[in-house]
Amino acid sequence: MAETILILSDRIDRQVRELRTALRKRGMTVLTYPLSDIGFDSRYPSGIAIPGMNGVLPDASIVRSISSGTFEAITRRLGVLHALAHLGVPVWNSAKAVERCVDKSTTTFFLTQAGLPTPETFAVESLANAKAVAVRELTKGPLVLKPLFGSQGRGIRLIQNIDDLPDPEEIDDVYYLQRFVARSGAPYCDYRVFTCAGKVLGMMERRAEGWITNIAKGGKGQTVVGPLRAELEKLALAASAAIGTDFAGVDIIPASDGRLLILEVNSMPAWTGLQSVVPIRIAESIADALVSMIAPGLSERPAA
């Protein structure tokens, strides 16, 4: 009987389609549902209700995306991921890893606790507390305000004086402020490194005329060459280990003084931009790593 992999995603995007194809090539049965459709149901011995499964659990699950929702809804969805792991179902990435990555302040905390280089970061509630940080820190240079929950460069602002701080209503009264990293440019650059199961699958340099280099904001990806690759690989693997991800997109920025600083770890990374500049097939590699764990011997792709 084929093993069943549950892909949790609120949309069928390119990454989901690639994962489904790769897993089916390896003999897996693949189900795809948004996490909001997975329920708790005490009638089943497992306590989990997955559409069409009658209380039976999948052999593994991949979290591709979690849609926005109320605090109660998100808490319940993460509770489902915790429950699946409690029942022995491998969940890539785990609820713990997702929680650590989605909240940028928690990401920063675990990176710094692991002794990894990151920009100075401050996360506070209320405009008064944010102004206190700004008064103290803007004398050393600009800050960057980022949404605590956000991705692809959305909502990022440069804070050069106290008046640049937005009203609390605009950002749910949480101010995540990070030291602006001075770089030579334009063009400006940073790096995205993709890790999976303790290995680096690929990396790219992202370049843009502005200081925000995300591909979704118009940045262009290109291949990373030279001795820098080894240092980027080392940092990315250490960041993934510190957060506890099974696969991740790690963002690393070069400072003008030559230091490499870890900005973020993404537990639900897209890889379309990266795939355009690296030869390894990322979805195939994720499938191989997961299948080799739950069904050794099935991870090799059949000959074409």
Side-chain angles (χ1 to χ4, degrees):
M1 184 175 178
E3 284 81 1
T4 298
I5 309 296
L6 174 63
I7 298 177
L8 295 165
S9 182
D10 59 300
R11 60 190 181 278
I12 308 301
D13 59 13
R14 179 172 176 174
Q15 282 76 28
V16 169
R17 292 193 294 269
E18 290 179 353
L19 284 171
R20 291 198 299 200
T21 298
L23 290 164
R24 286 168 178 161
K25 284 170 62 177
R26 289 155 179 78
M28 303 291 107
T29 297
V30 183
L31 300 176
T32 307
Y33 292 108
L35 192 49
S36 56
D37 282 358
I38 313 302
F40 289 104
D41 193 328
S42 62
R43 295 174 300 168
Y44 297 127
S46 69
I48 301 293
I50 300 169
M53 295 282 283
N54 296 317
V56 176
L57 295 173
D59 294 282
S61 181
I62 299 176
V63 183
R64 169 67 196 109
S65 65
I66 302 175
S67 59
S68 59
T70 63
F71 177 78
E72 290 82 0
I74 297 301
T75 299
R76 192 204 65 84
R77 293 169 197 171
L78 290 171
V80 169
L81 298 184
H82 280 295
L84 288 171
H86 176 76
L87 293 166
V89 177
V91 179
W92 284 23
N93 282 297
S94 69
K96 181 172 72 173
V98 170
E99 289 165 347
R100 290 178 175 183
C101 289
V102 169
D103 177 352
K104 291 184 179 68
S105 63
T106 302
T107 303
T108 301
F109 171 80
F110 280 99
L111 292 176
T112 55
Q113 287 295 300
L116 296 173
T118 64
E120 291 181 336
T121 303
F122 316 90
V124 298
E125 293 183 36
S126 86
L127 180 57
N129 287 329
K131 285 183 175 180
V133 171
V135 167
R136 184 184 72 238
E137 298 299 329
L138 285 175
T139 59
K140 306 172 190 176
L143 299 170
V144 176
L145 177 71
K146 299 180 181 180
L148 196 64
F149 308 141
S151 61
Q152 299 184 327
R154 292 188 290 265
I156 295 178
R157 309 184 191 199
L158 186 65
I159 306 299
Q160 296 179 290
N161 57 68
I162 289 178
D163 292 336
D164 292 333
L165 291 169
D167 292 334
E169 295 78 15
E170 294 183 52
I171 54 173
D172 295 324
D173 203 24
V174 175
Y175 295 81
Y176 176 88
L177 296 159
Q178 197 167 64
R179 177 72 59 205
F180 177 77
V181 179
R183 293 171 286 170
S184 58
Y188 297 90
C189 80
D190 64 9
Y191 303 96
R192 163 60 64 91
V193 185
F194 200 106
T195 66
C196 179
K199 297 180 180 179
V200 169
L201 299 185
M203 63 179 71
M204 68 174 170
E205 179 178 327
R206 300 182 298 195
R207 286 184 170 267
E209 290 304 310
W211 60 276
I212 299 175
T213 60
N214 300 73
I215 298 298
K217 290 292 186 179
K220 304 298 182 184
Q222 63 184 52
T223 304
V224 181
V225 296
L228 187 62
R229 289 182 60 90
E231 189 173 356
L232 290 169
E233 181 170 327
K234 180 180 177 181
L235 280 176
L237 291 175
S240 295
I243 302 301
T245 58
D246 297 293
F247 65 94
V250 182
D251 293 339
I252 301 173
I253 189 169
S256 57
D257 61 6
R259 292 177 300 152
L260 291 174
L261 304 173
I262 303 169
L263 287 180
E264 295 181 22
V265 180
N266 301 277
S267 64
M268 294 175 280
W271 56 80
T272 301
L274 176 62
Q275 188 64 86
S276 68
V277 300
V278 300
I280 192 169
R281 306 312 296 175
I282 294 169
E284 301 274 359
S285 297
I286 295 172
D288 270 339
L290 183 59
V291 171
S292 67
M293 181 180 68
I294 65 171
L298 293 181
S299 60
E300 291 299 321
R301 277 181 285 173

